[in-house]
Amino acid sequence: MRRILIAEDEPRIASFVEKGLRANGFTTTVTDDGRDALLLADSDDFDLLILDVGLPGRDGFSVLRELRARGRRLPIVILTARDSVEDTVAGLEGGADDYVPKPFRFEELLARVRARLREDGAPETTVIRVGEAALDLRTRRLTVGARTVELTAREFGLAEMFFRHPNQVLSREQLLSHVWGYDYDPGSNVVDVYVRYLRQKVGEARITTVRGMGYRLEGSGDGDGGVTHAS
Ligand code: CA
């Protein structure tokens, strides 16, 4: 299991990132202080560091430079305010692997995290099958039986959540924060609207409404959730 250190001092964002990563099978540790982040990351305990720039104790760039100066090679994904992307690009030259501007959707962060870990040698998940439907994570196409369906970016984000968790009830809140981001209005009905769009593409009966709880992608028993890895 991949271990991720999250250095983020805004509790709402730290918890959003932590929940999302755990739901995707990662082990997480959170710190809200730059000095602690340096201490923790300067060990062999983590596979990747998600590093906020504005941290108390020691700022993210300084943590980054110090880790690289000490020869730590772990992948680092920087979280930065959208209006300081220029500074961040300077930070990348200082040894970060990637950055994600805030506010971000969880899906964006997850893609960066997966990409960085993959370079590290992990196999890439490319096709997830549930029943006769298959979602290709690389081409972002959905195949249902012999039919290939194009998805919009949001539909793909939603489909990916369902396909990664077949036969599980996903709440509106989970779907909203995962696909739309933590800044989205929780009173919005956008999830319901997009579930309708997705049903039209994947088959009406494939996504069940679980009253008062959320939605579930129905598999058909054995063989569902099968994952193909790129060779
Ligand atoms: Ca901060």
Side-chain angles (χ1 to χ4, degrees):
M1 195 177 282
R2 295 310 193 95
R3 303 151 304 173
I4 299 187
L5 176 62
I6 303 161
E8 168 61 67
D9 62 322
E10 199 176 315
R12 188 176 58 126
I13 297 176
S15 125
F16 165 76
V17 170
E18 181 169 45
K19 276 190 211 152
L21 289 173
R22 287 191 170 179
N24 281 279
F26 294 97
T27 303
T28 54
T29 299
V30 174
T31 174
D32 60 2
D33 180 276
R35 280 164 307 204
D36 293 346
L38 178 59
L39 207 68
L40 288 163
D42 190 18
S43 69
D44 292 319
D45 293 343
F46 297 96
D47 297 306
L48 184 139
L49 167 62
I50 294 175
L51 182 61
D52 181 32
V53 173
L55 284 175
R58 186 161 188 161
D59 78 71
F61 289 136
S62 146
V63 171
L64 168 69
R65 278 192 303 270
E66 184 59 30
L67 282 170
R68 294 308 187 219
R70 293 182 189 182
R72 285 284 161 197
R73 304 298 319 145
L74 87 162
I76 299 177
V77 176
I78 295 269
L79 299 180
T80 187
R82 214 167 270 277
D83 57 10
S84 49
V85 160
E86 272 180 38
D87 296 347
T88 306
V89 171
L92 290 176
E93 282 158 12
D97 296 288
D98 210 342
Y99 71 94
V100 177
K102 295 176 180 180
F104 55 89
R105 287 175 296 120
F106 183 74
E107 194 201 337
E108 290 175 67
L109 176 66
L110 185 63
R112 304 303 174 89
V113 166
R114 288 212 167 106
R116 295 289 83 84
L117 290 174
R118 205 143 60 218
E119 286 168 1
D120 209 25
E124 178 183 6
T125 300
T126 52
V127 180
I128 308 177
R129 292 173 207 289
V130 176
E132 81 278 19
L135 185 68
D136 189 320
L137 302 179
R138 209 177 30 200
T139 63
R140 304 197 147 210
R141 282 207 187 92
L142 175 68
T143 318
V144 184
R147 197 163 50 94
T148 298
V149 186
E150 297 289 338
L151 299 174
T152 65
R154 292 289 201 214
E155 287 167 355
F156 175 79
L158 196 59
E160 184 179 6
M161 257 308 256
F162 280 121
F163 275 72
R164 286 191 185 277
H165 306 93
N167 299 312
Q168 286 176 38
V169 179
L170 300 175
S171 69
R172 280 182 183 74
E173 189 192 31
Q174 277 175 309
L175 294 168
L176 193 64
S177 76
H178 194 96
V179 183
W180 280 268
Y182 53 88
D183 276 335
Y184 221 85
D185 171 15
S188 160
N189 72 339
V190 69
V191 170
D192 310 85
V193 170
Y194 272 84
V195 165
R196 273 208 300 282
Y197 294 158
L198 195 58
R199 269 185 179 139
Q200 287 165 12
K201 296 190 170 177
V202 76
E204 292 288 333
R206 199 40 103 173
I207 301 173
T208 311
T209 304
V210 183
R211 202 168 291 279
M213 292 176 73
Y215 296 103
R216 181 174 60 220
L217 177 67
E218 303 294 345
S220 48
D222 286 356
D224 283 340
V227 166
T228 307
H229 290 114
S231 52

